[in-house]
Amino acid sequence: MLNDLILIGKIKEGDIKAYEGLFRLYYEPLCRYAVTYVNRMEIAEEIVQDLFYIFWKERSKLPVFQSVKAYLYGAVRNRSLQHIEHLLVQDKYREERLNEDTDNDFQTPLESLEYKELQERVEKTIQNFPERRQRIFRMHHFEGKKYTEISAELALSVKTIEAEMTKALQTLRKEIDLYIHTR
């Protein structure tokens, strides 16, 4: 307990050796723990790596907790469950899209035309995004990349990716609302 408080104090002060020691001590066990949730080692490693990245990046804001081990395991559990929830949402979305695609066969010509108009409007809106926002949006929605993957590929922070995606989605929502209300 006292050792954990001292360790957190050192990490908060930017002691890279203390951080590396924590990483070496917990990385492998946390990966094994995460894989019990997500069933794939590469995903488990990504979850743990992301946790340690945020842990170091946000070190000055770390709360004072009594057990570093309990904090790390809890964080890995939460991130693993979030990953599973994300997969479930993706599956549900794919299923809905498949159902929509089969339903599209039974649309009236007017519905089909309106759908095509909306698709074109959405694509035009995306094309009018600033270049970086457009690239981030396409990487996430069309290539299925995660924010952390986009962040690494574009050398931007995850927060920047999140901010750009939020702006893109807000713009698209406004455009779709405008389209619906002008019909």
Side-chain angles (χ1 to χ4, degrees):
M1 181 169 116
L2 182 59
N3 287 342
D4 283 354
L5 294 175
I6 293 169
L7 180 64
I8 291 302
K10 286 181 177 183
I11 291 172
K12 279 185 169 188
E13 293 170 1
D15 185 338
I16 191 75
K17 292 198 184 301
Y19 172 75
E20 287 173 349
L22 182 74
F23 181 86
R24 276 192 221 96
L25 180 64
Y26 287 109
Y27 180 77
E28 193 175 323
L30 288 172
C31 287
R32 286 193 308 267
Y33 180 63
V35 85
T36 65
Y37 287 97
V38 297
N39 296 325
R40 289 183 48 207
M41 184 53 85
E42 58 272 7
I43 293 170
E45 288 175 344
E46 184 177 313
I47 287 168
V48 174
Q49 288 167 4
D50 189 50
L51 170 65
F52 274 105
Y53 168 76
I54 298 298
F55 192 87
W56 178 253
K57 184 179 171 198
E58 304 290 329
R59 67 187 174 276
S60 64
K61 301 174 192 168
L62 286 175
V64 176
F65 36 81
Q66 295 185 353
S67 170
V68 174
K69 181 178 181 178
Y71 172 81
L72 291 173
Y73 275 86
V76 166
R77 182 177 66 74
N78 291 340
R79 286 169 180 268
S80 297
L81 293 174
Q82 286 172 347
H83 174 78
I84 292 166
E85 184 178 333
H86 177 72
L87 292 178
L88 292 173
V89 168
Q90 280 183 327
D91 288 347
K92 184 177 179 182
Y93 176 75
R94 270 191 214 102
E95 187 176 312
E96 287 173 1
R97 293 289 299 180
L98 286 173
N99 289 339
E100 284 176 12
D101 288 346
T102 57
D103 290 346
N104 285 344
D105 296 339
F106 304 105
Q107 289 180 344
T108 66
L110 179 61
E111 289 173 326
S112 183
L113 181 63
E114 287 175 344
Y115 180 74
K116 186 175 180 179
E117 284 176 9
L118 181 59
Q119 277 184 312
E120 289 170 358
R121 197 162 182 171
V122 166
E123 182 57 34
K124 187 175 181 182
T125 302
I126 293 168
Q127 288 173 358
N128 287 330
F129 286 165
E131 186 179 328
R132 180 173 77 178
R133 186 172 306 151
Q134 184 181 146
R135 186 162 183 212
I136 290 168
F137 183 85
R138 290 185 187 283
M139 290 172 81
H140 182 66
H141 280 283
F142 300 129
E143 297 173 26
K145 293 185 178 179
K146 296 179 186 174
Y147 289 180
T148 51
E149 293 173 312
I150 298 168
S151 170
E153 192 171 321
L154 300 181
L156 298 169
S157 72
V158 174
K159 290 287 185 197
T160 300
I161 305 302
E162 290 172 356
E164 290 289 358
M165 284 299 298
T166 298
K167 290 174 188 172
L169 293 172
Q170 286 172 342
T171 303
L172 283 171
R173 279 188 203 103
K174 286 178 188 173
E175 191 63 33
I176 291 169
D177 284 345
L178 183 64
Y179 175 80
I180 290 171
H181 288 67
T182 59
R183 300 293 308 127

